[in-house]
Amino acid sequence: MKYSRIFITAFIAIVSGFTFVSCDKDDEETTNDKYASDEYARNLKFDGAIAGEYLGKYIIQTLDKGDNIVKADTIDNVSLYVEGNEMNELVFRNFPISELTTLISKDTTSYLGFNVKSVSNHDLCSPYTKEYEQKDSMIIMHHKPTSISFAAKGLVGNFDYHLYYCFSDNDTAYNVPLKAIYGNHALGNCNIKLRLEKIISDGGYLWERDLSRLYYYIVEFQSRQIITKNKD
């Protein structure tokens, strides 16, 4: 009888322990599921809020080694398209490659062995990711521009070059207040900068931003108006 009571007591303790563990696990799974659900909902809300097309201007800035702007040219009536619902990317329409090339060709420390007039402007795609800063109630959006590649005529022998313009993702964080995603548009007054890092051809580097260069170049898109608004 004594051993039966001990056995029953031990059995009840074991069952109770499993129950507590199970409850803790269920609570943890419920919390994780809720967090994942909230994160997913925020992602959808943010992607839908920034989607659409923005009208604005490009400002092509030439900076010296001390980060001082020595020249700034403006190209008006250009647009940025944001595909936020599926592709998660920014598309800079008619990106001013030809203007950048003209500026670089005047840099006395660089040599571009192709015809500047043969370089045409291209759309530039830039996939984005995002993270949440709960302390400051901000969404931090990062985007990394893809390289632009195309062919251009060489100055010697009329050869075709395959050119690649590569941009930095070091200056591409954009802070969006969480409350902004519940408004009409989160990127209504965005100023997004893209810094040219290097130009590569089939034969190697044609130009690269480094300490030996006199200048480096940044293109800033400044929006002023929403053209279209994508539906969520």
Side-chain angles (χ1 to χ4, degrees):
M1 189 70 177
K2 179 179 180 181
Y3 291 109
S4 298
R5 289 179 180 177
I6 293 174
F7 176 78
I8 293 172
T9 302
F11 178 76
I12 293 174
I14 293 172
V15 171
S16 299
F18 278 122
T19 302
F20 285 132
V21 171
S22 177
C23 288
D24 289 342
K25 187 175 181 181
D26 290 343
D27 290 342
E28 182 180 349
E29 289 179 351
T30 302
T31 302
N32 290 337
D33 291 344
K34 184 177 185 301
Y35 177 80
S37 177
D38 290 345
E39 188 83 358
Y40 180 72
R42 272 194 303 191
N43 282 340
L44 288 180
K45 192 69 178 177
F46 177 78
D47 291 337
I50 68 173
E53 189 138 7
Y54 301 79
L55 181 66
K57 60 184 178 182
Y58 291 129
I59 300 177
I60 307 173
Q61 300 173 0
T62 303
L63 297 92
D64 62 18
K65 293 181 180 180
D67 296 333
N68 302 303
I69 299 175
V70 296
K71 184 178 180 181
D73 296 319
T74 299
I75 301 175
D76 215 338
N77 296 319
V78 294
S79 65
L80 167 70
Y81 178 74
V82 182
E83 175 55 79
N85 297 316
E86 295 178 1
M87 296 295 291
N88 283 2
E89 70 176 8
L90 314 177
V91 181
F92 297 86
R93 303 290 194 194
N94 202 32
F95 193 77
I97 286 295
S98 59
E99 285 77 5
L100 271 177
T101 304
T102 301
L103 284 173
I104 294 169
S105 66
K106 295 177 181 178
D107 184 342
T108 56
T109 64
S110 68
Y111 170 73
L112 299 180
F114 57 88
N115 185 358
V116 173
K117 293 182 180 179
S118 68
V119 177
S120 59
N121 294 335
H122 283 57
D123 287 352
L124 172 62
C125 297
S126 187
Y128 72 82
T129 57
K130 51 196 175 297
E131 59 183 288
Y132 300 96
E133 184 64 52
Q134 295 186 1
K135 179 181 177 181
D136 299 320
S137 297
M138 301 291 288
I139 295 176
I140 303 174
M141 187 178 72
H142 303 273
H143 69 99
K144 180 175 177 55
T146 57
S147 61
I148 298 179
S149 62
F150 52 91
K153 289 292 182 182
L155 292 175
V156 180
N158 203 31
F159 293 114
D160 284 337
Y161 278 81
H162 288 92
L163 302 176
Y164 303 87
Y165 281 64
C166 306
F167 299 86
S168 171
D169 61 338
N170 294 330
D171 301 317
T172 55
Y174 184 70
N175 295 338
V176 182
L178 280 173
K179 63 182 180 181
I181 70 174
Y182 299 103
N184 293 328
H185 225 272
L187 299 183
N189 295 303
C190 66
N191 296 332
I192 302 179
K193 294 182 178 182
L194 302 97
R195 186 178 69 202
L196 183 65
E197 286 294 309
K198 54 193 171 185
I199 304 173
I200 305 174
S201 74
D202 297 329
Y205 286 89
L206 289 175
W207 181 90
E208 185 174 15
R209 187 184 73 86
D210 56 36
L211 294 178
S212 67
R213 299 296 177 187
L214 293 178
Y215 308 111
Y216 69 96
Y217 307 94
I218 287 177
V219 177
E220 180 176 357
F221 176 81
Q222 295 184 357
S223 70
R224 66 169 183 268
Q225 161 184 1
I226 302 164
I227 302 176
T228 61
K229 177 70 171 69
N230 286 358
K231 293 182 178 179
D232 297 354

